[in-house]
Amino acid sequence: MPATSAASKGRFATLGAEHASTVSRVAAELRRAVFEGELESGTPLRELALAESLGVSRPTVREALNALVAEGLAVREPHRGVAVATPRAESVRDVCRARWVLEGAGVQAWASADEARRARVRETLDAYTGAVRGGRASYEELNERHLAFHVSLVELTGSPRLVQMAETLMDELKLALAQVDRIRRNAHDEAESHEGLVTLLEADRIDGPDGAAAFLRRHIDDAEVEIIDALGLE
């Protein structure tokens, strides 16, 4: 009896791992389709249709959709089901205001940050600009590396709570930024802008009209306008 029970547990563990793997693959495919523009904002995500097209069960699709909802890429509405999230202009403005508070604090902390945190800023910058100039990265990858750079600025503060807040903000913004990247195709310009910011930081030029803080403020303000304009938000 104990041997049978142990064998059963082993089989069930394998089944559980296989199910989790399938859910992850489905979520990854849906995420890719959203970032690549195959699923536009507002597109309904029907469990049955997705299950049939992806060759998986409806419960698997349901779990994958739950993951996208948790990430802010999809929304669930009563009696209407799940749909790809649609950015709202006021939300974009509010997120950008909050970004300035958090990332601005990071820029001001550059001088007192340890070398490990400074190195993290350089590493995320290199990862982003390398992906941009390599020309083969997906919009999802570019987006992740772009946002990782901005989170690394907040890491300069040394505050885990502020970093967690920044990561939450980036989750809210990632869909809108990906759509802008796809529409404007200006990733090279963005890469150069981020390099300019780090150049100012490394020269310890933080304050003043030509310093890193003012540079970052203009960057975030421009991003707010660009997102709202490119996506036709009101």
Side-chain angles (χ1 to χ4, degrees):
M1 192 68 162
T4 301
S5 176
S8 297
K9 288 181 179 179
R11 287 197 298 271
F12 292 146
T14 300
L15 287 173
E18 289 176 351
H19 175 69
S21 177
T22 302
V23 171
S24 296
R25 288 198 301 271
V26 171
E29 174 58 20
L30 294 175
R31 203 178 290 115
R32 182 202 63 76
V34 169
F35 282 114
E36 295 298 324
E38 296 170 18
L39 293 172
E40 295 284 356
S41 293
T43 302
L45 299 172
R46 309 295 187 196
E47 285 183 13
L48 180 58
L50 290 171
E52 291 177 348
S53 65
L54 295 172
V56 298
S57 67
R58 289 185 68 177
T60 295
V61 171
R62 190 175 303 124
E63 289 188 46
L65 291 178
N66 287 341
L68 264 66
V69 170
E71 294 170 13
L73 298 180
V75 292
R76 188 186 304 278
E77 297 182 0
H79 311 298
R80 298 185 65 180
V82 179
V84 179
T86 301
R88 298 281 187 265
E90 187 50 43
S91 294
V92 171
R93 294 188 184 100
D94 195 37
V95 167
C96 287
R97 284 194 292 268
R99 281 184 59 197
W100 162 242
V101 172
L102 297 176
E103 294 179 42
V107 164
Q108 291 295 336
W110 173 267
S112 59
D114 60 32
E115 184 52 37
R117 294 191 177 97
R118 292 188 181 197
R120 171 67 178 161
V121 171
R122 299 184 188 102
E123 289 166 5
T124 56
L125 175 67
D126 289 344
Y128 175 50
T129 56
V132 169
R133 289 166 182 149
R136 296 184 178 180
S138 66
Y139 288 114
E140 181 179 3
E141 181 181 352
L142 290 175
N143 205 30
E144 291 293 337
R145 296 193 180 195
H146 180 187
L147 297 181
F149 169 77
H150 284 281
V151 171
S152 76
L153 294 177
V154 184
E155 290 173 0
L156 291 167
T157 65
S159 169
R161 289 178 176 83
L162 293 182
V163 171
Q164 185 176 34
M165 292 169 65
E167 290 172 341
T168 299
L169 289 174
M170 297 311 170
D171 283 343
E172 292 187 49
L173 200 57
K174 65 170 59 174
L175 178 60
L177 282 176
Q179 292 179 339
V180 172
D181 286 346
R182 199 174 64 245
I183 292 169
R184 295 289 175 89
R185 300 181 184 276
N186 63 344
H188 280 81
D189 294 339
E190 289 293 314
E192 292 175 1
S193 175
H194 290 66
E195 288 174 327
L197 174 60
V198 173
T199 296
L200 290 172
L201 288 173
E202 293 187 321
D204 292 322
R205 292 174 55 192
I206 308 300
D207 298 314
D210 297 321
F215 188 104
L216 176 66
R217 185 58 187 263
R218 289 192 297 270
H219 176 79
I220 293 176
D221 287 347
D222 289 347
E224 175 186 318
V225 172
E226 185 175 30
I227 291 170
I228 293 172
D229 179 56
L231 302 184
L233 305 180
E234 296 181 358

